[in-house]
Amino acid sequence: MDDLDDLFGDNPSLPLPPNPLPRNLLQRIDELRLSGCSQKVAWSRLGCIAFITPDGRGIRLRHLVCHPEDGHWDMSDETSVDELPNFENANHFTHLTWSPSGPDLAMIDTYGRISIYQISMALNRLSAMRTFTTDLEDNLGAIVGLMWLNSDRHTSTKLQHGQPLQSPTCQAQRLKILHDFFPTTDSDGPNYFESNLFTSTSSSRAYLTHLQLIPPGPGNQSPEALPPTIIGVFSHIPSQSGDTQLREEPFSVISRWEMQSRPSTLHPVFDQLASKKSNTSSAAKIDSELSLKKQPDIRTSRIPLALHQLDLSTIIAMPHSDGSIEFRARETFEALVSDDMCTNEHERVSSLEQVGFRFLVTEPCLHIELSPSACAAVLFTETHQTRLRTMELSTDAIDDIWKKSLVEKAAVAFVLHFSSSCTNQNNSDDLLMVLQQFVQNLTTNSHADELLVGKVEEDFFSDLYRALNLTLDHSMDSSSDKLLRNPTIQRCLSLQASLDYKGEGQYRTTRSKVAWTLLNLRMISLTVAFAFTKPPRGGDSEISKPEVLQSMAGLTTWSVALMKYITDELFMLSDALQGYGSFDWEFLSQKIRTLNTPSLLLVLISTSRAFLKYNCRGLRGIHNQIRAAQIQAPTPHVRTTSADLESVFTESPVKVSQFERILAEVESDIRKAYTAANLTDQKRYDLEKRMLISGAVPNELVPVVERLLTNSIPGLRKEVDVAELYFADASWLGLSDDQLTLRWKKEHVLDGMRKVELSGRARSRRCARCCAVIEDLLPARGVSNFLLNFQRVCFCGGSWVVGMGSREETGLRQS
C-alpha cells in the first residue's frame, strides 16, 4: 500500500504552498519601502485617535470612552474633522503625526503640503492652525521624512522632499547620520559621517521599511548608559506570481548598529617628529571618531509595521501585519515573555508582559498604533475597519496567577505603568480600562477570593501613592498650598474614583466617594484661589468682575450643601450611638458600612480635611466679596446676583464658622492622639494612606471619633436647626445611597464644573472618563475667559468630548 501511495503522489509529508498575501498588504509594504511618511493612524498622548479615511480625502477621530450606563470602556464612534481642504484630481492625505506634547496634528498630502490642526476644548474637535490651501502643488515635493522637534533641543534638521529617493530614507546600501549625542570640539556645525548599512547576503533580497534612531538610555544588565542605536528593518515579499509550489515565505531582518565614540590617535611615525615632541598638547585637540558596531541580525517570518520606543527607550514594541504585537528588550533585543521567573519571590517586576499580559486577539491588518501607555492598540484592518485591542490575561494565565500567588506582582506592574504615565503626562484612560478589566476578570474567576481581590486593589493604590512619593500626612502641617499645587494627587484620586465606577444605576463605594469628593473640592479650591489672585503687574482680581462672581454661585451652593451633608451625617451617627446606649466601635463601624457614608472619613483623613479647610477659607472670601458688591453694585443685575449668593450663606442652618470649628477640634484631637501614641512620620503616613484607600480608621483615632460624636457634635446640635438640616435636599450631591439620588440623576443634568443645572437644549460636553457633563461654552462675546480657562479639562483630569446628541444617546449625568 505504501508503494501505491507513492505511485499516486499521496505522500502526506509534502508541504502546502504558502497562501498569497493580500493585495492591500502588498501595497502597504510598498508604501513603507518607498517613504517614511505613510502613517494612516496616529494616537495622541492626550488620548485622541486620528486616522485617514479609505479614500484618503478625510480625517476621522475616535477616542476611549467610559459608558455611563454600566461603566464599560470602549472606543467611541467616529467624528469627522471639519474645514478640511478640498482635494482635486488624485491628491489625498498620505501621513498623520501628532506633536510630542499631544495637542497638534500634522496632516500631509501627496504634494508634501502640511496642515496643522489642534485639539480645541474637546478630544473630538479640531481647529485649523495652518492649512496648505495657499501652498503650490509640486509633483516633486513629496515628503519622505518628517519629525517634530522638541522646543528645548538646540538641533537642526533638513526635511528632504522634491528629490530622488536618496539617503537617509530610501537607499538601503549607505546611511548618512547627523548626530549630536557626543560633544565635539568642532564648532562650525554638527558632525556627520557615512557608513555601509549591511553586507549580509541573508537580507540582500529585502528592502528597507523602517529606520529609527534610539537615543542613549538606561540599561538593565549594565549600570552604564546604553549608546545610541540604529535599528533598520528589512522586509522581503516574494513574488506572488508563478508556480505556487516554488513560492517563498515572506521574512524580515532586523539589523542593529551601536554608535560608539572612540578617541582618534595619530600614526606612531608622528612621534618621531621634533615638532611633535615639543608640542604635546596637540593630541588633545584631535576630535573623537564615531563608528558603528554591528549587532547580530534577527530574522523573523513576520512583517513589522512600525517601531515604538517605550519606557525611556528600554523596550521596543513591534506590531506585525498578522495583528500580533511583540515587545523586545532594547539591550538584548530578546522578546519579553512570561516564564517561571515570575514565580520567584525575589524576581523584579518591570512590565505587564513579564506577568503574562498579551494582546490575545489578532487579525491581519495594515496599520497598528499603540496607546500612550502601550496597554491598548487600534488596528486598521484589510477591509479598512478600525478595531480596538487591549492587553489581557488568558483564562489559563489567570488561573496560574491565583495558583502561583502572582496577583501582587500584577498590581506592581500596573503601578509601574501608571507612574510612568504620570511622569510623562500621558493620558492614562487606556491603563484604567485594562486595569478595570483585570479586576473584573479576577472577580469572576473560579479561584477568586473576594477578600483577596479587595486586598489587591488596596495594595495597588498603596504602592501607587508610595511610588509617586505623594505626601498624604498633613496632620502636623496646617499648610495646604503644596497639596493644591500637586497635579499628581489629581491623577491618583481620579483613578481611585473611576476604578469602582459601575455606571449611573449603581452606587459608588466609600473609597470612590471619598476620592470623587476630594476631586471636586480640589477643583473648587483652585478656582476660588485663582479668582482671588491679583495680576503680577497690578490691577483687580478676577473675583471683582460681576460675571466671575456670578459664575461662583454654583460652586458656592455646592460647597455649602456638602458642608450641610457632612454635618447631617455626623448627627445621624451620633444619634445611632445615643440609641445604642454607649460608644461601641464595632457597632459604629458596621453602621458606617451599612450607610456607605464618607462623611466621617472626610473629617478624619488629613488630606480631605486640608481641602475642606481651604474650601471654607474660600467661602469666607466669597461672602466678604458679596457684601462689598452689594454696597458698590453698579447695576440691578449685580445687586440681584449678590443677594442670591448672600441667601446661600444666611439660609444655611450650618454656618461656615461652625463647620470650621468642628474641623479645628478634630485636627487638634488627632495631633494629640498621634503624639500620645509616639508614632513616627512613616507610621502616620501609613495610617493616613490606609484611611484614604480602604476607609479603615486606626485604633489610635478611635478616641477622637468618640469625642467627636459624643461631645463636639452634640454641642453643635444646640446651635443649629436640626429639622431644617434633616430635610435639606442633598440628592444632587450624589453621595447618598437612596432612590432620591438615583431619581435626581435620571431627571436632571448638572454642570460638573459650575455646579448649576443645565437645560435640555443646552449644548454640552462630557468627560470621557468620569462621565461628568458641562455646558459647551466656546470663546465668544459675553463668555468670561476665566470661565473658559478652568473648564479646559474635567475636575478628574479627564478630557471632554462633544457631539453627544440627546440625553439617551449621551448618557448625560450628574457629575
Side-chain angles (χ1 to χ4, degrees):
M1 293 298 294
D2 295 339
D3 296 338
L4 290 178
D5 291 338
D6 293 340
L7 177 63
F8 290 100
D10 294 335
N11 190 348
S13 63
L14 291 177
L16 295 176
N19 295 325
L21 297 177
R23 178 182 176 184
N24 290 336
L25 179 58
L26 296 176
Q27 183 180 357
R28 174 60 182 151
I29 299 301
D30 283 339
E31 291 178 351
L32 292 173
R33 180 173 59 87
L34 295 175
S35 174
C37 291
S38 59
Q39 182 174 320
K40 303 299 189 299
V41 184
W43 200 324
S44 168
R45 286 179 57 182
L46 300 183
C48 182
I49 307 170
F51 59 94
I52 301 174
T53 56
D55 61 1
R57 295 175 177 266
I59 305 294
R60 299 286 188 269
L61 302 177
R62 304 187 79 167
H63 53 85
L64 298 180
V65 62
C66 178
H67 295 286
E69 295 80 13
D70 55 4
H72 176 69
W73 281 86
D74 201 354
M75 194 161 55
S76 68
D77 295 333
E78 297 180 1
T79 303
S80 301
V81 178
D82 299 329
E83 301 179 359
L84 289 177
N86 296 322
F87 290 114
E88 298 179 357
N89 303 326
N91 189 21
H92 59 275
F93 289 114
T94 61
H95 183 69
L96 290 176
T97 177
W98 290 96
S99 61
S101 56
D104 302 314
L105 177 65
M107 312 172 185
I108 303 173
D109 70 347
T110 53
Y111 297 115
R113 302 179 298 179
I114 302 177
S115 291
I116 306 293
Y117 282 70
Q118 189 176 76
I119 295 177
S120 177
M121 306 294 289
L123 276 183
N124 55 349
R125 181 167 59 196
L126 301 184
S127 58
M129 306 300 293
R130 180 192 186 277
T131 60
F132 53 63
T133 53
T134 58
D135 298 340
L136 298 178
E137 296 182 359
D138 185 2
N139 292 327
L140 298 179
I143 295 179
V144 297
L146 179 67
M147 175 183 292
W148 288 90
L149 292 182
N150 294 330
S151 58
D152 58 344
R153 290 190 61 190
H154 301 285
T155 59
S156 60
T157 60
K158 182 178 181 181
L159 183 63
Q160 294 187 346
H161 62 91
Q163 299 178 2
L165 300 181
Q166 298 176 353
S167 63
T169 56
C170 301
Q171 284 290 338
Q173 297 302 322
R174 296 189 66 81
L175 172 67
K176 185 174 182 179
I177 301 176
L178 182 72
H179 68 89
D180 60 353
F181 292 107
F182 302 104
T184 63
T185 58
D186 184 8
S187 59
D188 295 336
N191 293 344
Y192 70 89
F193 71 96
E194 295 185 2
S195 175
N196 289 324
L197 270 178
F198 65 89
T199 57
S200 61
T201 58
S202 62
S203 57
S204 59
R205 295 172 296 165
Y207 290 94
L208 177 66
T209 57
H210 298 87
L211 185 64
Q212 196 166 117
L213 178 62
I214 304 179
N220 294 326
Q221 300 181 1
S222 174
E224 299 180 357
L226 299 177
T229 305
I230 299 173
I231 297 181
V233 178
F234 303 86
S235 298
H236 171 66
I237 302 296
S239 174
Q240 301 299 298
S241 59
D243 190 355
T244 57
Q245 297 289 344
L246 302 178
R247 185 178 300 157
E248 298 178 281
E249 291 282 356
F251 67 87
S252 297
V253 176
I254 305 172
S255 300
R256 295 171 296 142
W257 301 265
E258 289 186 354
M259 300 173 60
Q260 298 183 345
S261 177
R262 59 186 180 185
S264 300
T265 58
L266 295 176
H267 194 274
V269 70
F270 287 95
D271 295 335
Q272 303 175 6
L273 299 178
S275 59
K276 173 66 178 178
K277 296 180 181 179
S278 62
N279 187 8
T280 58
S281 62
S282 60
K285 299 180 180 180
I286 302 177
D287 294 339
S288 60
E289 294 180 350
L290 191 62
S291 62
L292 295 182
K293 181 181 179 182
K294 186 71 168 62
Q295 301 296 314
D297 289 341
I298 298 175
R299 179 165 175 152
T300 176
S301 60
R302 293 177 292 182
I303 307 298
L305 297 178
L307 297 175
H308 298 278
Q309 303 178 30
L310 309 176
D311 297 342
L312 299 177
S313 301
T314 58
I315 297 178
I316 306 299
M318 301 179 60
H320 298 91
S321 59
D322 60 356
S324 63
I325 301 177
E326 188 179 37
F327 296 88
R328 292 180 176 269
R330 178 255 182 92
E331 193 168 2
T332 62
F333 228 74
E334 295 179 355
L336 299 178
V337 295
S338 58
D339 50 28
D340 293 336
M341 289 193 308
C342 293
T343 62
N344 188 349
E345 181 181 357
H346 303 289
E347 180 65 24
R348 295 179 59 185
V349 178
S350 58
S351 64
L352 288 172
E353 297 81 12
Q354 185 184 7
V355 184
F357 281 82
R358 291 290 182 271
F359 290 94
L360 300 179
V361 181
T362 61
E363 60 178 307
C365 57
L366 305 177
H367 300 268
I368 301 180
E369 184 69 10
L370 292 178
S371 62
S373 299
C375 295
V378 58
L379 282 64
F380 201 72
T381 65
E382 297 174 355
T383 57
H384 303 289
Q385 301 294 322
T386 53
R387 300 280 190 269
L388 178 66
R389 297 290 180 261
T390 58
M391 297 187 74
E392 54 186 327
L393 291 173
S394 64
T395 304
D396 295 338
I398 295 179
D399 292 340
D400 291 340
I401 275 186
W402 283 115
K403 295 176 182 177
K404 300 177 182 179
S405 301
L406 297 180
V407 183
E408 293 81 0
K409 291 185 178 293
V412 171
F414 276 108
V415 169
L416 292 176
H417 276 258
F418 190 81
S419 300
S420 176
S421 175
C422 291
T423 304
N424 298 322
Q425 299 296 316
N426 289 340
N427 179 277
S428 57
D429 288 345
D430 56 334
L431 186 60
L432 172 60
M433 175 176 60
V434 175
L435 177 60
Q436 191 180 71
Q437 293 174 355
F438 171 64
V439 173
Q440 292 175 355
N441 291 337
L442 287 181
T443 305
T444 57
N445 186 264
S446 58
H447 299 279
D449 184 347
E450 184 177 355
L451 295 178
L452 184 57
V453 172
K455 185 178 182 302
V456 170
E457 296 180 3
E458 294 178 11
D459 290 344
F460 165 74
F461 286 111
S462 178
D463 292 340
L464 178 63
Y465 284 113
R466 178 175 58 85
L468 294 174
N469 196 25
L470 289 176
T471 302
L472 300 179
D473 178 26
H474 303 276
S475 56
M476 301 298 181
D477 182 13
S478 59
S479 175
S480 58
D481 294 341
K482 295 181 180 179
L483 181 63
L484 283 177
R485 293 196 298 265
N486 191 346
T488 308
I489 188 69
Q490 180 192 34
R491 286 176 167 265
C492 295
L493 292 174
S494 177
L495 186 63
Q496 183 172 325
S498 302
L499 184 60
D500 296 331
Y501 179 66
K502 300 298 188 296
E504 290 303 312
Q506 301 292 328
Y507 300 121
R508 292 179 179 269
T509 62
T510 304
R511 175 174 58 204
S512 179
K513 287 182 179 180
V514 170
W516 183 85
T517 305
L518 292 185
L519 287 170
N520 280 275
L521 287 173
R522 178 182 181 274
M523 180 269 296
I524 295 175
S525 299
L526 285 175
T527 303
V528 174
F530 180 76
F532 277 94
T533 302
K534 293 186 177 181
R537 297 183 179 180
D540 296 332
S541 59
E542 293 287 337
I543 196 66
S544 61
K545 300 178 182 179
E547 64 273 14
V548 174
L549 183 61
Q550 183 178 3
S551 66
M552 293 291 174
L555 302 181
T556 303
T557 305
W558 190 93
S559 300
V560 173
L562 177 65
M563 185 176 62
K564 293 188 296 183
Y565 167 80
I566 294 176
T567 306
D568 183 55
E569 292 289 307
L570 294 178
F571 280 171
M572 187 182 302
L573 295 178
S574 178
D575 292 341
L577 284 178
Q578 186 176 1
Y580 187 75
S582 61
F583 182 83
D584 186 281
W585 176 241
E586 294 296 332
F587 167 78
L588 184 62
S589 300
Q590 182 60 37
K591 186 68 175 180
I592 294 174
R593 286 192 294 268
T594 303
L595 296 176
N596 193 23
T597 173
S599 298
L600 182 61
L601 291 173
L602 291 174
V603 174
L604 293 179
I605 300 173
S606 62
T607 302
S608 58
R609 194 168 60 251
F611 279 122
L612 287 172
K613 292 193 303 179
Y614 206 98
N615 201 40
C616 290
R617 188 195 311 176
L619 288 176
R620 284 191 280 106
I622 292 176
H623 198 186
N624 294 334
Q625 186 66 30
I626 291 171
R627 293 171 178 172
Q630 288 178 328
I631 300 175
Q632 305 172 0
T635 62
H637 176 69
V638 175
R639 287 193 293 269
T640 302
T641 301
S642 302
D644 294 340
L645 280 172
E646 175 70 19
S647 64
V648 175
F649 292 96
T650 57
E651 296 177 3
S652 174
V654 180
K655 307 305 178 185
V656 176
S657 58
Q658 296 172 334
F659 191 74
E660 284 183 308
R661 187 183 66 205
I662 295 296
L663 294 178
E665 291 178 0
V666 171
E667 186 166 272
S668 176
D669 291 341
I670 290 178
R671 288 181 179 179
K672 294 178 182 178
Y674 282 161
T675 303
N678 196 23
L679 299 179
T680 62
D681 294 345
Q682 183 62 41
K683 182 62 175 178
R684 289 200 314 270
Y685 173 84
D686 293 337
L687 295 180
E688 291 287 343
K689 182 174 63 173
R690 189 182 179 195
M691 279 196 294
L692 178 62
I693 295 172
S694 63
V697 179
N699 294 330
E700 290 81 356
L701 297 187
V702 172
V704 177
V705 177
E706 180 179 4
R707 185 176 186 279
L708 171 65
L709 298 180
T710 60
N711 188 3
S712 300
I713 292 300
L716 179 63
R717 183 191 297 271
K718 302 176 183 179
E719 304 175 14
V720 302
D721 188 341
V722 180
E724 183 180 356
L725 186 64
Y726 177 80
F727 288 105
D729 183 17
S731 59
W732 67 295
L733 293 177
L735 295 175
S736 302
D737 291 359
D738 52 35
Q739 293 300 319
L740 289 177
T741 299
L742 295 180
R743 188 182 307 119
W744 202 99
K745 291 181 181 181
K746 184 179 297 185
E747 297 176 355
H748 304 270
V749 179
L750 185 73
D751 190 303
M753 301 296 290
R754 293 186 295 150
K755 305 301 180 186
V756 295
E757 188 175 351
L758 298 178
S759 63
R761 294 175 294 178
R763 297 182 309 174
S764 58
R765 287 180 250 155
R766 191 183 73 192
C767 177
R769 169 174 289 195
C770 72
C771 304
V773 174
I774 66 170
E775 186 176 0
D776 187 21
L777 299 176
L778 298 177
R781 184 177 181 182
V783 179
S784 172
N785 291 330
F786 168 80
L787 191 61
L788 295 175
N789 288 333
F790 86 87
Q791 290 188 354
R792 291 190 177 276
V793 295
C794 180
F795 59 84
C796 74
S799 301
W800 303 112
V801 294
V802 294
M804 301 181 297
S806 63
R807 179 193 301 263
E808 290 75 13
E809 295 172 349
T810 63
L812 291 180
R813 65 178 294 269
Q814 176 209 1
S815 62

